[in-house]
Amino acid sequence: RKAFTLVWPEGKSPEADAPAAGGWLNEQFVELGLTAKSVVVTIPREDAVVRVLEVPDVLDGELPNVVRFQAAAKSTRPLDTQLLDFLPLPRREGVSGREVLVAMVGKEVIDSLRLVLSRTGRELAGISLTGPAMVELLARLERPDLAHPNAVELAIIRHGQMVEISLLRQRGLLLTHS
């Protein structure tokens, strides 16, 4: 309903000074007339570890535990210092297990976001990586122009000097890279 772009002023970014960033962001929200109390934040791919894991073909109810176990085995950091989420990927011929796209974000990133938002009087309702969030938006759009159901779509998102590239196939995230 409303789109805007804000650029953190020098010294008031969440990385430099989270409380000051929250105060500045609140001023911007007031000027824009934003009244929402819940906020969904997208973070750049560079703030997360994202990888495709192949896990055993288990029932959907068992998948979270299997993914957590496999992710812990592959991670260089303890899982209790990170937040983990995953997306089951569409089944492919020749893959005996199930493929999942796993994203892990350090709790320090989330804690900083919560602190900034607390200074605005808002709460963190959800977090997504920018690439998958944009791909989800693309997947929900009505697209009668898709030539083939297995066609691959490309999303390119720029964050400052970084570029994120995400591929969408069968209206699901296939790959994301920063």
Side-chain angles (χ1 to χ4, degrees):
R1 295 182 189 162
K2 183 183 270 192
F4 55 90
T5 300
L6 299 174
V7 178
W8 296 110
E10 182 107 11
K12 290 191 179 179
S13 70
E15 298 83 19
D17 185 346
W24 177 83
L25 189 58
N26 189 51
E27 292 170 8
Q28 303 309 303
F29 285 173
V30 168
E31 283 182 29
L32 291 164
L34 299 179
T35 59
K37 292 297 179 192
S38 297
V39 178
V40 176
V41 175
T42 65
I43 59 175
R45 164 67 177 82
E46 66 193 49
D47 286 350
V49 173
V50 178
R51 64 172 43 138
V52 175
L53 293 180
E54 185 177 332
V55 299
D57 193 7
V58 297
L59 297 172
D60 287 347
E62 299 172 22
L63 195 56
N65 290 332
V66 171
V67 169
R68 190 165 188 70
F69 179 76
Q70 292 280 349
K74 304 273 185 191
S75 179
T76 59
R77 289 178 57 175
L79 279 188
D80 64 349
T81 66
Q82 303 177 78
L83 293 178
L84 177 142
D85 201 0
F86 69 95
L87 292 170
L89 296 174
R91 295 183 186 272
R92 292 187 305 140
E93 249 182 69
V95 176
S96 60
R98 293 184 74 172
E99 290 180 308
V100 294
L101 184 68
V102 175
M104 294 180 287
V105 178
K107 287 185 178 178
E108 68 279 359
V109 173
I110 308 310
D111 292 343
S112 176
L113 288 171
R114 282 196 175 109
L115 178 56
V116 169
L117 289 174
S118 73
R119 300 296 172 124
T120 69
R122 287 156 178 87
E123 69 178 42
L124 183 61
I127 297 172
S128 179
L129 298 176
T130 305
M134 289 302 298
V135 169
E136 183 176 347
L137 178 62
L138 289 173
R140 292 173 185 266
L141 294 174
E142 293 295 323
R143 297 294 307 269
D145 59 330
L146 287 181
H148 189 272
N150 289 323
V152 175
E153 293 182 274
L154 175 69
I156 300 173
I157 300 132
R158 186 178 69 113
H159 291 281
Q161 299 299 317
M162 298 296 293
V163 174
E164 294 183 40
I165 300 171
S166 298
L167 297 176
L168 177 73
R169 181 179 64 203
Q170 295 176 343
R171 298 196 178 248
L173 187 61
L174 176 64
L175 173 74
T176 182
H177 185 72
S178 177

